[in-house]
Amino acid sequence: MKDMPASPSAHAPADHPAIASEKIGILIANLGTPDSYDYWPMRRYLSEFLSDKRVIDYPSWKWQPLLQTVILSKRPFASGKAYKTIWNEADNESPLLTITKQQTAKLAAAMQAEYGDRVMVDFCMRYGNPSTKSKVRAMVDAGCRKILFFPLYPHYAGATSASANDQFFRALMAEPWQPVARTVEPYFDHPLYIEALAQSIERAYAELPNRPDILVCSYHGMPERYLHEGDPYHCQCQKTTRLLRERLGWEETELTSTFQSVFGPEEWLKPYTVDEVARLAKAGKKRIAVCAPAFSADCVETLEEINDEIRESFEGAGGQEFTYIPCLNDEDTHIEALGAVIRENLKGWIG
């Protein structure tokens, strides 16, 4: 492996500011987390999230008064209650933060085993802490003259991937000496990602006493309008389901795609998971399994929404056996897939 270029400080005058040895930064990003499930931390987090024009694109003059007076006077209590049921009390943090730390540690070990000290691996959150801006600043201070920014969303959506990239670019705008930057494209059809999904499902099915009648692939929802405006998210989700089915060797009737986490008055992508599981139960599908391929780590939408609201909808309609298959989290097959994506995107920068 070739050495990184020598630091310019080696030939600089004695009074020149110190310059760290050059590195390549690998900055992974996820959605975010409140600092606590109490009212004010929840309110700050939700205000930042729901003020993002990529998430809610209504005119500010119309949306902000409603958000700040009506929605944020009530929603932090409901969201805080949901977070409290899944909170990692031992570390006083959300499961998403715990899992992202674990993923980062494993990716850092894998990258450093291959590239040594020439790379620096860290993580940030789009909303909440640690912020994207703080982590970009830390990487630049550490000598990262190139940064690979990797939003951990398998599927592209304006409200997730694009929003994370927006925040990354804003952070770059604040840097006096701006590093070279790349962003990672979605990996919804990457063979190792599909393989990791398939193996997680095969393991879960092997442990069940009865095979589920159907597997529900529940993806995070979005307003249907976004699809018609050109967002590829829906199509990418459908392709993941198809590739997963082909890898598993299953019939089309053995799995289906649905969408969860509906918010607001608009029509969202359908079928809605909460309604579809009830329909399946009434149609005689008494045993179902649910997985969440769009989430790289378990979070409130999976641990609380799927395991509570969606499970309750299924069982209330006559369903008998409900199995939630966890996200890929820090499973070795997932880390291998993410590592492969990173290596592919580092080509030309490091060998």
Side-chain angles (χ1 to χ4, degrees):
M1 294 185 289
K2 296 180 179 179
D3 293 333
M4 294 293 287
S7 168
S9 61
H11 307 288
D15 61 349
H16 193 283
I19 300 176
S21 298
E22 288 190 16
K23 295 185 177 74
I24 293 174
I26 301 166
L27 184 57
I28 67 174
N30 216 317
L31 184 75
T33 173
D35 295 327
S36 165
Y37 51 73
D38 294 331
Y39 176 80
W40 285 109
M42 281 301 315
R43 181 176 178 121
R44 285 193 298 271
Y45 172 72
L46 290 172
S47 181
E48 184 182 10
F49 175 46
L50 296 175
S51 294
D52 186 348
K53 286 286 190 178
R54 291 280 195 178
V55 176
I56 305 291
D57 63 354
Y58 301 149
S60 296
W61 65 265
K62 182 178 182 180
W63 174 243
Q64 282 298 322
L66 177 64
L67 174 64
Q68 298 299 331
T69 59
V70 178
I71 296 172
L72 291 181
S73 66
K74 299 178 180 180
R75 192 172 179 88
F77 291 109
S79 295
K81 184 178 179 181
Y83 269 96
K84 187 175 182 179
T85 65
I86 64 166
W87 200 255
N88 177 357
E89 296 288 357
D91 296 321
N92 192 28
E93 61 190 25
S94 72
L96 177 64
L97 181 54
T98 301
I99 295 166
T100 304
K101 288 179 178 178
Q102 294 166 345
Q103 292 170 326
T104 302
K106 287 190 174 183
L107 283 170
M111 293 299 105
Q112 287 165 1
E114 186 161 353
Y115 303 119
D117 292 337
R118 298 185 296 166
V119 299
M120 173 182 179
V121 182
D122 208 340
F123 76 95
C124 65
M125 297 294 182
R126 170 61 183 89
Y127 314 103
N129 296 306
S131 70
T132 305
K133 184 176 181 179
S134 69
K135 291 299 186 175
V136 168
R137 180 90 287 278
M139 282 192 161
V140 172
D141 282 345
C144 294
R145 297 303 314 137
K146 297 181 177 71
I147 298 178
L148 178 68
F149 186 68
F150 189 1
L152 288 187
Y153 306 112
H155 312 80
Y156 175 93
T160 54
S161 308
S163 180
N165 288 337
D166 288 347
Q167 197 73 349
F168 175 56
F169 298 143
R170 291 188 193 101
L172 293 178
M173 289 171 64
E175 291 303 320
W177 187 6
Q178 196 175 66
V180 176
R182 287 178 180 173
T183 60
V184 175
E185 66 179 351
Y187 55 98
F188 64 95
D189 58 354
H190 194 287
L192 291 181
Y193 162 67
I194 299 297
E195 181 63 25
L197 281 177
Q199 288 189 26
S200 73
I201 291 162
E202 288 171 338
R203 285 195 301 271
Y205 270 48
E207 294 173 357
L208 294 174
N210 301 304
R211 180 183 174 87
D213 299 316
I214 191 168
L215 172 68
V216 176
C217 298
S218 182
Y219 297 88
H220 199 288
M222 68 160 48
E224 186 178 348
R225 169 171 56 89
Y226 292 6
L227 167 63
H228 300 298
E229 291 174 352
D231 196 299
Y233 178 74
H234 178 267
C235 299
Q236 292 181 359
C237 292
Q238 297 292 355
K239 185 172 183 180
T240 292
T241 300
R242 176 176 64 79
L243 292 174
L244 178 60
R245 176 180 61 79
E246 291 173 354
R247 160 57 182 81
L248 291 168
W250 291 4
E251 300 295 328
E252 290 187 15
T253 55
E254 294 182 90
L255 75 173
T256 188
S257 297
T258 63
F259 299 89
Q260 65 181 84
S261 308
V262 176
F263 176 80
E266 288 190 72
E267 290 292 312
W268 281 44
L269 297 176
K270 293 182 177 178
Y272 300 151
T273 305
V274 69
D275 295 335
E276 183 64 7
V277 296
R279 188 196 70 78
L280 289 170
K282 292 174 182 177
K285 306 293 186 183
K286 300 302 182 182
R287 296 188 296 269
I288 70 169
V290 180
C291 66
F295 297 88
S296 61
D298 274 308
C299 54
V300 69
E301 286 88 357
T302 63
L303 298 174
E304 195 279 334
E305 184 180 357
I306 291 179
N307 260 330
D308 187 357
E309 178 186 356
I310 291 169
R311 177 191 293 270
E312 184 178 315
S313 177
F314 174 69
E315 293 176 347
Q320 297 172 357
E321 296 179 25
F322 181 98
T323 299
Y324 170 61
I325 300 174
C327 294
L328 295 176
N329 296 325
D330 67 337
E331 289 183 9
D332 290 344
T333 52
H334 190 209
I335 300 303
E336 181 183 357
L338 297 178
V341 173
I342 289 171
R343 291 182 189 93
E344 290 164 10
N345 281 270
L346 287 176
K347 288 180 179 178
W349 276 6
I350 195 168

